[in-house]
């Protein structure tokens, strides 16, 4: 149907449905939209049914701050009686601190990725709402969408319609959850231990997670989930929000004694950062909400949404070899050619030259900003290396860190005013770095010109885009006005312009490892570097929780040397490679010094990745709710359920011996599956094998069982030494 220009003539109720989710919005009485229901699909409801639903949800007007019930809109207002976290915090010279927006128009149309001219039942849609507060002289546009994958996403645009400036301190958007969502899950972490989960009760009051690092952050909430008691990977009802923003942001859960429970988020604006002149606008980041039974369904909605984007990586994800942990700053042409030869021999398809190729950059204390190929290290330019790499049939990639600058650089000496600072002092250095102010037009033009020249001169198909420090006292010289907001938008513009000029070039988001992982940076990058820690045991947890938001093909997962660079822990090839398999597989290891037996095993794992990547990068990620904390079971099941691969991982010693059966989630219950060990992940290194006591079904023939039996009864896994894994393949028929 064609878009509806005005919804105010009807009872003001809009019902969007998609992928098993219903979103019911109430715009009655020209007030900002309130969510009547967000959760499981309610089926087809006619106007009378929707009105009855709204009536049934109305509370008794007892104990509120004003007479009558307090309706909390997606942008909560104190004028409605809400005394929790405000949707808009701002003022005009100390006045207009509280708004009372009235809806002036609303239209319903297709959402992003939806076919046809208008929303259809079961396909979602986009509601655009215009509102005005004449007293505060502010205009508001709200966009609320239910995607075809069942994700809710919303954003707000605030415009100053007055004659004087309006200071914006915060704009928060919220989504309600029911009272039986009593558990909260969010994330914390640090460098080398990103996205570490933590659970807390959802009690009365405000749980606010703020990130002030100027990037998405190691310890940001990442995803804030509220669910029924004890919710798991496959069980319990779960509601989750994510803020798609790569700068400062806040995410919160708020519960009041009025039976109101909200998940909310928005950009965290520093004092004075956004001052709207007359006619100017501020637009919030997108807020995403996902509902499902268990975390796997919540994640699957995000993954399907990302995969539906027209620019999502669609071809086979190439096997990457990165030079960093192999050579560090030792850029020697002969050595790098030898590494490229060894990489090609094991089946690598992309060779990435890391830090140290430019200016005076022989260590991490100088040279950042001088984006010219070093005459000292590369007297003939990069051509001799790029020719060798491409001659071996591999793509060539290169490391850059465009947003940072070393004070010991030609650029800093020539333009000290291009460094972000507050007043007359520089922020404290971090890794001997400061931040280059890309909101300055001349600094932006310089970086764009240098990167454009690099991509034009050499056959670069991949940029590892790094960002290695927090933004501390990040102001614009000379006045020192806070600049994280402007810097974030400038980085987006820079990436967008480079992608427009060089559409064939992929970009990886790296930020001291996994410090910039969010859905907005992924609008302009093709994968994220999950962590600088590639110790396989640590990566088991880091990768699992990164996968909560993004699919495997966007996760950089590398196998390192036997001795982990960041933990000094040793693991065999199979555990390292089997861990890296579940992502965008790569190698960060000096293969010229590897033992022949390790090279042989690695070559087999590379071949397996190439065989499985079509499944891994299009299927549904699944994680079992296994009772034994020493055993993890996860895998990928094809969308049609006919093929699957699972990993059974022993992260520690179990209190059970043998550890008992494992269940395989996500299979179609009515299909019969042939389950068997998958080489080279079929070597169960454990005491039972060493003592010659075989697991009866652990043979190339395996077993055949219905998906229902595999999900409910499971099957025995081999006894494994700690920090080992095995692979299973399950195919229908």
């Amino acid at each position: 149907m064609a878009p509806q220009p005005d919804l105010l003539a009807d009872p003001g109720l809009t019902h969007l449905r998609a992928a098993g989710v219903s979103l019911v919005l109430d715009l009655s009485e020209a007030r900002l939209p309130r969510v009547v229901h967000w959760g499981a699909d309610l089926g087809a409801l006619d106007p009378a049914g929707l009105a009855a639903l709204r009536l049934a949800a109305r509370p008794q007007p007892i104990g509120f701050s004003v007479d009558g019930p307090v309706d909390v809109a997606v942008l909560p207002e104190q004028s409605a009686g809400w005394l929790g976290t405000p949707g808009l915090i701002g003022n005009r010279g100390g006045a207009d601190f509280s708004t009372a927006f009235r809806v002036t128009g609303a239209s319903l149309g297709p959402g992003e990725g939806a076919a046809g001219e208008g929303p259809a039942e079961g396909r979602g849609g986009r509601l655009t709402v215009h509102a005005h507060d004449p007293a505060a002289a502010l205009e508001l546009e709200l966009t609320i969408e239910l995607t075809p994958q069942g994700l809710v996403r919303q954003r707000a645009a605030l415009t100053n319609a007055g004659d004087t400036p309006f200071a914006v301190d915060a704009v928060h958007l919220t989504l309600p959850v029911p009272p039986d969502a009593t558990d909260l899950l969010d994330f914390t972490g640090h460098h080398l231990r990103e996205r570490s989960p933590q659970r807390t009760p959802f009690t009365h009051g405000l749980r606010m997670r703020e990130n002030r690092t100027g990037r998405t952050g190691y310890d940001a909430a990442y995803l804030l989930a509220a669910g029924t008691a004890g919710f798991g990977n496959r069980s319990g009802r779960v509601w989750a929000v994510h803020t798609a923003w790569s700068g400062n942001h806040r995410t919160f859960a708020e519960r009041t004694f009025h039976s109101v429970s909200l998940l909310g988020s928005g950009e965290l604006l520093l004092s004075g950062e956004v001052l709207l002149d007359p006619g100017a606008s501020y637009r919030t980041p997108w807020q995403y909400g996902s509902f499902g039974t268990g975390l796997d369904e919540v994640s699957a909605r995000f993954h399907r949404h990302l995969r539906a984007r027209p620019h999502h990586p669609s071809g086979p994800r190439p096997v990457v070899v990165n030079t960093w942990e192999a050579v560090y700053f030792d850029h020697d042409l002969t050595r790098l050619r030898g590494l490229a030869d060894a990489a090609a021999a094991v089946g690598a398809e992309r060779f990435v030259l890391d830090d140290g190729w430019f200016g005076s950059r022989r260590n991490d204390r100088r040279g950042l900003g001088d984006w010219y190929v070093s005459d000292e290290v590369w007297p003939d330019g990069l051509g001799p290396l790029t020719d060798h790499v491409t001659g071996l049939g591999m793509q060539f990639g290169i490391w850059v860190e465009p947003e940072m600058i070393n004070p010991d650089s030609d650029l800093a000496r020539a333009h000290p005013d291009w460094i972000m600072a507050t007043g007359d002092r520089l922020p404290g250095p971090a890794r001997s770095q400061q931040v280059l102010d890309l909101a300055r037009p001349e600094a932006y033009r310089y970086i764009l010109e240098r990167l454009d020249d690099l991509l034009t001169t050499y056959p670069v198909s991949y940029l590892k885009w790094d960002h290695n420090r927090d933004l501390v006292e990040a102001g614009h010289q000379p006045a020192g006005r806070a600049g994280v907001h402007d810097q974030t938008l400038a980085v987006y513009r820079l990436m967008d312009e480079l992608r427009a000029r060089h559409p064939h070039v992929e970009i990886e988001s790296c930020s001291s490892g996994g410090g910039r992982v969010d859905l907005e940076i992924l609008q302009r990058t093709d994968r994220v570097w999950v962590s600088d820690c590639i110790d396989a045991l640590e990566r088991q947890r880091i990768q699992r929780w990164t996968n909560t938001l993004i699919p495997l093909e966007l996760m950089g997962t590398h196998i390192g040397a036997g001795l982990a660079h960041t933990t000094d822990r040793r693991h065999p090839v199979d555990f390292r490679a089997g861990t890296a398999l579940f992502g965008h597989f790569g190698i960060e290891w000096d293969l010229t010094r590897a033992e022949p037996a390790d090279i042989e095993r690695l070559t087999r794992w590379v071949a397996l990745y190439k065989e499985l990547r079509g499944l891994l990068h299009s299927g549904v990620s699944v994680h079992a709710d296994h009772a034994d904390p020493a055993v993890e079971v996860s895998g990928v099941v094809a969308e049609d359920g006919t093929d699957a691969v699972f990993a059974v991982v022993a992260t520690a010693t179990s209190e059970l011996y043998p550890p008992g059966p494992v269940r395989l989630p996500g299979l179609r219950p009515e299909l019969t599956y042939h389950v068997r060990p998958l080489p080279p992940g079929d070597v169960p290194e454990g005491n039972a094998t060493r003592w010659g006591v075989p697991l009866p079904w652990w043979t190339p023939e395996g077993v055949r069982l219905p998906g229902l039996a595999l999900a409910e009864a499971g099957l025995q896994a081999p006894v494994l030494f700690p920090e080992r894994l095995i692979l299973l393949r399950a195919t229908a028929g």
Side-chain angles (χ1 to χ4, degrees), residues 21 48 54 86 194 219 275 333 360 378 408 498 500 509 552 562 613 620 640 678 687 713:
V21 172
R54 177 176 58 191
E194 296 88 339
D219 61 342
L275 184 66
L333 178 59
S360 60
W378 299 100
D408 185 0
L498 283 170
S509 173
L552 299 182
R613 60 187 164 189
V620 181
D640 65 1
L678 179 61
N687 290 345

Side-chain angles (χ1 to χ4, degrees), residues 397-630:
I398 199 164
W399 179 95
V400 293
E401 192 173 1
E403 300 156 69
M404 300 300 158
I405 184 171
N406 287 131
D408 185 0
S409 67
D410 293 341
L411 183 65
R413 285 184 281 272
H415 300 286
D417 54 326
W418 290 8
I419 297 174
M420 298 197 80
T422 299
D424 59 355
R425 65 180 182 274
L426 286 179
R431 291 194 63 185
S432 303
Q433 295 178 191
Q434 296 289 353
V435 182
L436 185 66
D437 188 353
L438 293 177
R440 292 183 71 103
E442 58 271 38
Y444 177 94
R445 286 194 299 269
Y446 166 78
I447 291 295
L448 176 61
E449 171 193 289
R450 297 313 316 140
L451 294 182
D452 182 52
D453 181 74
L454 175 68
L455 298 179
T456 301
T457 303
Y458 295 105
V460 176
S461 62
Y462 178 85
L463 285 178
K464 180 179 178 181
W465 188 301
D466 214 340
H467 176 287
N468 274 317
R469 69 156 294 168
D470 293 335
L471 273 62
V472 177
E473 291 195 310
H476 302 303
Q477 294 196 57
R481 184 177 64 84
V484 173
H485 173 79
D486 295 340
Q487 180 78 353
T488 306
L489 293 177
V491 171
Y492 290 161
R493 289 196 304 273
L494 179 61
M495 288 184 172
D496 290 342
E497 179 61 27
L498 283 170
R499 295 299 293 264
R501 296 187 185 188
H502 304 277
H504 68 285
V505 175
E506 291 193 1
I507 299 177
E508 175 185 73
S509 173
C510 176
S511 186
S512 311
R516 187 153 68 181
V517 181
D518 64 81
L519 294 188
E520 191 59 31
I521 201 68
L522 279 167
Q523 287 297 101
R524 42 197 52 85
T525 58
D526 301 278
R527 78 170 202 169
V528 300
W529 182 228
V530 174
S531 176
D532 280 343
C533 179
I534 51 176
D535 174 313
L537 181 61
E538 301 295 328
R539 272 296 189 116
Q540 280 288 328
R541 171 168 281 205
I542 296 171
Q543 290 173 198
R544 184 270 170 273
W545 293 111
T546 302
N547 184 226
T548 309
L549 180 68
I550 63 174
L552 299 182
E553 64 270 24
L554 301 182
M555 294 167 43
T557 55
H558 290 188
I559 173 174
L563 181 67
H565 164 83
T566 55
T567 64
D568 213 37
R569 186 185 278 135
R570 289 189 180 275
H571 290 125
V573 172
D574 288 354
F575 185 58
R576 285 144 50 207
T579 300
L581 180 72
F582 290 89
H584 182 184
F585 188 92
I587 303 163
E588 200 139 344
W589 178 9
D590 188 352
L591 299 177
T592 65
R593 301 180 181 182
E595 295 294 330
D598 287 347
I599 291 292
E600 187 275 332
R601 294 299 293 177
L602 175 61
T603 303
R604 294 187 65 190
W605 280 100
V606 169
L608 178 66
Y609 167 75
K610 291 179 178 180
E611 175 190 341
L612 291 179
R613 60 187 164 189
L615 169 63
L616 293 169
H617 299 160
S618 66
V620 181
S621 293
V622 296
H623 305 84
D625 289 312
H626 194 72
D628 188 341

Side-chain angles (χ1 to χ4, degrees), residues 249-270:
H249 60 280
R250 55 168 57 96
T251 309
F252 59 90
E254 188 162 16
R255 173 161 278 168
T256 75
F257 62 82
H258 301 120
S259 296
V260 176
S261 301
L262 301 173
L263 300 180
S265 69
E267 183 181 5
L268 191 160
L269 295 171
L270 300 177

